[in-house]
Amino acid sequence: MKQHRMRLIEQNQPAPGIMRMIFKAPDLARNSRPGQFVQIRVTDTFDPLLRRPFSIHRTHSNGTIEILYRIVGRGTRLMSRTRPGVRLDGMGPLGNPFQTEGNFSTALVVAGGMGSAPAFMLIDTLLKTGKSIHFFWGVRCDDEFFHLEWLRSSGVELHLACERGDTGHQGLITDILEPMMNRYPDSKGFVCGPKPMLEKMQRMIRTFPIPWEVSLEEKMACGVGVCMGCAVRVGQKIQMVCSDGPVFDLREVDFGS
Amino acid sequence: MKQHRMRLIEQNQPAPGIMRMIFKAPDLARNSRPGQFVQIRVTDTFDPLLRRPFSIHRTHSNGTIEILYRIVGRGTRLMSRTRPGVRLDGMGPLGNPFQTEGNFSTALVVAGGMGSAPAFMLIDTLLKTGKSIHFFWGVRCDDEFFHLEWLRSSGVELHLACERGDTGHQGLITDILEPMMNRYPDSKGFVCGPKPMLEKMQRMIRTFPIPWEVSLEEKMACGVGVCMGCAVRVGQKIQMVCSDGPVFDLREVDFGS
Amino acid sequence: MAVDLQVRLGSLVLKNPVLTASGTFGYGVEYAGYFDVSRLGGIVTKTITLEPREGNPMPRTAETFAGMLNSIGLANVGADCFIKEKLLPLEPLDTAVMVNIAGSSPDEYEKVALKVAAHERVDALEVNISCPNVNKGGLAFGTDPEITREVVRRVRETTVKPLIVKLTPNVTDITAIAQAAVEGGADALSLINTVLGMAVDIETRRPLLARHVGGLSGPAIKPIALAKLYQTVRAVSVPLIGIGGIMTWQDALEFIIVGATAVQAGTLHFVDPCGAVKIIEGIKTYCDEKGIGDLSSIRGSMEDGGA
Amino acid sequence: MAVDLQVRLGSLVLKNPVLTASGTFGYGVEYAGYFDVSRLGGIVTKTITLEPREGNPMPRTAETFAGMLNSIGLANVGADCFIKEKLLPLEPLDTAVMVNIAGSSPDEYEKVALKVAAHERVDALEVNISCPNVNKGGLAFGTDPEITREVVRRVRETTVKPLIVKLTPNVTDITAIAQAAVEGGADALSLINTVLGMAVDIETRRPLLARHVGGLSGPAIKPIALAKLYQTVRAVSVPLIGIGGIMTWQDALEFIIVGATAVQAGTLHFVDPCGAVKIIEGIKTYCDEKGIGDLSSIRGSMEDGGA
Ligand SMILES: Cc1cc2nc3c(=O)[nH]c(=O)nc-3n(C[C@H](O)[C@H](O)[C@H](O)COP(=O)(O)OP(=O)(O)OC[C@H]3O[C@@H](n4cnc5c(N)ncnc54)[C@H](O)[C@@H]3O)c2cc1C
Ligand SMILES: Cc1cc2nc3c(=O)[nH]c(=O)nc-3n(C[C@H](O)[C@H](O)[C@H](O)COP(=O)(O)OP(=O)(O)OC[C@H]3O[C@@H](n4cnc5c(N)ncnc54)[C@H](O)[C@@H]3O)c2cc1C
Ligand SMILES: Cc1cc2nc3c(=O)[nH]c(=O)nc-3n(C[C@H](O)[C@H](O)[C@H](O)COP(=O)(O)O)c2cc1C
Ligand SMILES: Cc1cc2nc3c(=O)[nH]c(=O)nc-3n(C[C@H](O)[C@H](O)[C@H](O)COP(=O)(O)O)c2cc1C
Ligand code: FES
Ligand code: FES
């Protein structure tokens, strides 16, 4: 939990509208765990003002970390124009990680859209534990898939779905997950993705009593639990996504609607 | 008087703290006259918000224009980090130029500090008229001089002064100008520089009845005469530096204090 | 089906809802070299007073974060010169001309209104009771419901042309002033004028504006303008013109969704002289893409709950 | 000769004038991992109310140009839990602890003040009569001189510790409220709380804050804060704490030059968690370079005329 001057080493575009930044930030790389995030200041000026939160996508033993982001607004647009060599101010690692330890033999990793950002570091970590990994990955258009070769060669069992395109199931990732879930009683689930998907997952897992962790997103100002801006109701209590989360027990989250 | 997407071709540092930008902007290069300026938007975001006014330093027949600026604040600092290839939005040419035509045989060009920015285009233009040119150039430290060789080889009579350093007179440029002025009765003077120098010049020329033009600076918002922000009293009347100037009759300017 | 951007302010029909804000567009033709001014829904002139005014001492402007301060002090050519010289160049323009007026007493407001409103090129008056940069009149009037009512009543008597009253945000309760203006006879209200602000040079230890305080405008004040509009929408039923930090078509739509019939862009011109036209284009595209045939269907359509 | 940054707020001596603003620094230790909190002149806690509060519905924050909106709604653990759990971690810190309090009635203000002020780790109370994000109390109190006087008087009776009253900018005349607070017994005033603001998502046509309007903070409001301070300096003689958009040491000095005895930084922490320390360092360097031995020699030293 510190401020880092992260030097941008490379920026590339793994899929249309999606950017990957690789930073040199040894401390951050060493101390980050899957599910944690970094709050990046995108400019020295005061517009845009607030930091932007991004999951840590991957870390590497050479002291680099990656983030993966979709260009959605003013902050990410500015970021996408940042050139290698520039140092960005990043706070992190923030938040609580996924719990990858435990007595389960199979990990069900479910990612929708940009949920793939934290999923890769989660998979990297799970691979080291020797558990078998099923990765359920849903996107809108199949050009958003990347690293499929590497995933397969690493022994990850891939289940793909897209709303447009030819790769995998044509539809939502929850469509393929639902009928398969019961095959893995000795498993633990990890979910990240857009809110509608998370709500659907919450309904789906009612009858499937393995532990499920979810990573939530909320608009953030501070990222460290002081502003009370990122409140969510979890297990009857108001919790802060940034400091109490972003990883919570999926069953306990109150999605409000 | 138009908006131009000026492509930055090169940025370099002719002297410590002073930057030169070379833009490709054919329309602007063609239509600019010495003493006119361009209002540059330094960022796409809204901080800094306002455009920054810069004299046109030089234009070239290949469609490029140069500006010369000192890094003094947030806007110029951002500009100094802009890399070649980027397009900056510039409005111009704005304001009224120096009058280089006329029945005078000698031009006395007096520049203090960043007054050298418009002075070079003025000299470029005067060189074409075949008039003899005396360039009185004062700076704080002699590492701020540049292009001296070129000036000399072009036949410009150089008179240099600096407050620190070994080049030319040690002191103010007005020190050397004052005793020399009367040598050139058939001349016209052009001045640009910091306010104290201009006030001093105004006092000095009382008894030296050649025409003197001065280029003024005031804080600007619009740059086109609509906001009434850059008012100055000239010849009893309120005038706008951006649209009525920036070039005025030095004798008529009311410096207020 | 392309959207019809036409809107009405009382009896005045505007071809689109995008206007220029007073004091930021001169007398209407200074930006003619940059774009075709006739594309605008209308132009609002610099404030005109009975006598010419030189304005406040310099410096009169200062940049702040995402904003700027001004203390121009209603510098203008005066009503007579305005009528003689400034209206003529507006004749050929196919856009509404609204003249912003001010005075240092109700009497003076009436006098300048009488002079200006009579001219046929003038389509509407905007009554400025909200300028923070003058000692008499201006802001002081616009913070008092009684004086507001009186000033508007006096101006109302001079003309049947649409009367817009421009409100200041520098009050505890803008709805009280808005109601007073409507009672006085306003056909529409425009809001907000600038927010009182200040900046200091720490090297010289002097204020950046010679008159110490001035008016804040630009993107910085947009949230304030929207909140004031939101309150006013609920308090009066005349058309409202949203002003304050509008830089993009998205900004303009925020005001329309909250309830503005039209909008004015001010500081925008300094940043992007062609910005107003881009707003018109942007609104069109937004409406066309969403199948909105008429702006009235989204005006004031804000729903509850967070985005 | 290094500058002495010590300043006094009534009987309270601060080692330097840089404080954290309520609601932006949690309960004082959340940023401990980023810098040594003991370097601060003092910390002001999140507003404490008698009962715990969950706060307003989500979303509660939104970014604006050079600013942000919040509608947190005074979410806090309540006075009892605060005293039991949140004061202990502050014991070892070598910095002043000021507890910000609020209530929905004068009675509630008195009750929470009684509970909190009694604790010896509490060096001062800051009375929040200016929160725009609650229905009862908050802003409504701070816009009325009578209620302001009454609330402050009631809190005053509970303690001899320094009493700071935090003012809202959302009023026509802040000096009337300032005077009322001083009459009620305030030892110092802090200003400004956030400016009422709003933002709208044009895709969903919903406000960005669930509660529609919220409080604007950050660099955008700095000019407004300085103008309010400028007015207040001339109206009362108690020490003033400047707040609003302070991001740099230069900003802090602007407030001091206008007349602030101390400053609070709020939104700054979100942008740069170590920013407050940089302000302290910057003020020091500025004073040392200029041979200023004591902040009082520049406090309120603003001269006339433009910069
Ligand atoms: C813990 C966490 C981890 C995240 N990880 C990733 C990631 O790995 N990859 C990725 O592409 N995105 C991620 N997001 C979302 C990402 O933060 C936003 O897409 C980004 O902030 C948008 O910034 P902008 O300026 O481009 O968009 P704008 O819409 O211009 O931003 C305006 C404001 O809204 C906030 N905002 C906008 N969208 C979101 C959002 N979805 N979640 C939270 N705040 C938002 C911004 O931070 C900013 O304050 C994460 C969000 C959180 C909370
Ligand atoms: C007609 C004209 C021509 C100019 N030509 C040149 C030139 O060729 N080279 C050069 O180096 N400078 C020139 N200047 C000054 C130049 O505009 C300022 O140095 C520049 O705007 C500083 O911007 P900043 O953001 O770095 O400084 P900041 O101090 O951060 O700027 C804050 C605000 O003050 C304004 N400002 C600051 N200094 C000046 C100044 N001296 N004159 C006018 N406005 C100022 C800025 O435009 C901005 O609005 C000219 C000014 C004018 C009016
Ligand atoms: C330089 C300047 C001059 C202004 N002069 C006037 C004026 O003469 N009369 C008036 O009613 N408003 C005047 N205003 C206020 C604007 O019309 C507008 O209400 C305000 O700037 C907010 O809009 P903006 O943020 O889009 O600029 C002026 C604003 C600026 C920036
Ligand atoms: C997220 C957030 C929460 C706040 N909560 C409180 C609060 O509980 N009590 C209070 O008096 N002020 C609160 N404020 C207002 C700040 O203390 C401060 O007055 C205001 O933000 C202006 O300062 P700034 O621009 O430096 O942030 C809050 C501000 C923010 C941004
Ligand atoms: S973002 Fe501030 S508490 Fe979570
Ligand atoms: S800068 Fe606007 S009138 Fe000159």
Side-chain angles (χ1 to χ4, degrees), chain C residues 92-126:
Chain C
L93 297 182
D94 177 26
T95 189
V97 172
M98 314 187 186
V99 180
N100 182 297
I101 60 166
S104 57
S105 64
D107 216 50
E108 229 179 277
Y109 274 95
E110 184 180 329
K111 283 194 182 125
V112 65
L114 252 180
K115 285 198 182 204
V116 170
H119 197 287
E120 66 174 322
R121 187 63 189 93
V122 176
D123 296 307
L125 292 186
E126 182 176 60

Side-chain angles (χ1 to χ4, degrees), chain D residues 48-70:
Chain D
I48 305 297
T49 52
L50 199 56
E51 303 297 329
R53 289 176 61 98
E54 291 193 342
N56 290 331
M58 289 290 291
R60 299 176 176 185
T61 64
E63 189 182 59
T64 65
F65 301 112
M68 66 173 282
L69 291 166
N70 88 77

Side-chain angles (χ1 to χ4, degrees), chain A:
Chain A
M1 198 175 78
K2 260 178 59 181
Q3 227 172 328
H4 307 268
R5 301 194 61 223
M6 315 189 300
R7 187 158 57 82
L8 184 61
I9 295 182
E10 194 189 320
Q11 168 142 243
N12 56 40
Q13 187 164 13
I18 296 177
M19 304 297 290
R20 178 201 284 124
M21 280 179 151
I22 307 176
F23 296 101
K24 187 87 179 179
D27 256 30
L28 196 56
R30 197 168 30 247
N31 296 317
S32 297
R33 304 269 310 279
Q36 290 187 302
F37 64 100
V38 57
Q39 280 262 71
I40 297 184
R41 191 168 169 192
V42 300
T43 170
D44 291 348
T45 72
F46 297 134
D47 177 37
L49 181 69
L50 297 175
R51 287 168 185 266
R52 300 296 192 256
F54 296 96
S55 301
I56 294 165
H57 176 52
R58 293 189 111 161
T59 62
H60 301 282
S61 54
N62 64 356
T64 58
I65 82 152
E66 298 180 20
I67 65 163
L68 190 76
Y69 66 95
R70 192 190 298 276
I71 302 177
V72 296
R74 301 174 86 228
T76 46
R77 198 161 313 124
L78 258 185
M79 283 171 62
S80 70
R81 291 199 223 125
T82 308
R83 304 213 199 168
V86 170
R87 283 167 193 276
L88 292 183
D89 174 343
M91 285 168 71
L94 298 173
N96 302 300
F98 288 112
Q99 292 303 330
T100 51
E101 312 288 306
N103 287 328
F104 57 97
S105 61
T106 303
L108 308 180
V109 179
V110 186
M114 289 311 299
S116 54
F120 272 79
M121 182 164 180
L122 178 61
I123 289 169
D124 284 340
T125 309
L126 286 166
L127 281 170
K128 288 181 202 140
T129 64
K131 319 235 182 213
S132 89
I133 303 170
H134 287 256
F135 184 23
F136 295 82
W137 189 0
V139 296
R140 212 162 292 165
C141 179
D142 66 355
D143 57 13
E144 291 171 39
F145 290 126
F146 56 90
H147 279 348
L148 295 185
E149 281 317 299
W150 172 83
L151 285 165
R152 284 199 188 97
S153 69
S154 303
V156 174
E157 200 72 50
L158 274 184
H159 310 269
L160 306 177
C162 67
E163 293 167 60
R164 286 193 310 272
D166 304 318
T167 316
H169 168 76
Q170 307 305 295
L172 300 175
I173 191 65
T174 40
D175 302 342
I176 29 180
L177 176 63
E178 189 155 26
M180 286 182 63
M181 276 201 304
N182 291 312
R183 293 193 207 155
Y184 312 100
D186 182 26
S187 61
K188 176 170 179 177
F190 303 90
V191 202
C192 32
K195 208 169 261 183
M197 168 184 151
L198 301 183
E199 293 184 50
K200 178 138 194 215
M201 286 288 303
Q202 195 183 49
R203 285 193 301 273
M204 273 168 54
I205 63 166
R206 272 197 205 124
T207 54
F208 182 51
I210 64 162
W212 280 94
E213 287 186 345
V214 62
S215 172
L216 298 183
E217 286 186 12
E218 276 298 342
K219 290 223 171 146
M220 293 186 174
C222 71
V224 300
V226 304
C227 78
M228 314 286 160
C230 62
V232 62
R233 196 177 294 275
V234 182
Q236 317 303 329
K237 278 201 333 215
I238 294 287
Q239 302 263 290
M240 296 303 138
V241 170
C242 66
S243 53
D244 299 316
V247 173
F248 294 101
D249 181 334
L250 176 56
R251 290 193 172 77
E252 297 206 325
V253 175
D254 177 353
F255 287 107
S257 54

Side-chain angles (χ1 to χ4, degrees), chain C residues 202 206 212 230 286 304, chain D residues 200 202 206 212 230 286 304:
Chain C
I202 63 165
R206 293 172 191 276
H212 299 203
Y230 173 80
Y286 172 92
D304 249 21
Chain D
V200 178
I202 62 166
R206 295 174 189 275
H212 299 203
Y230 173 81
Y286 172 93
D304 249 18

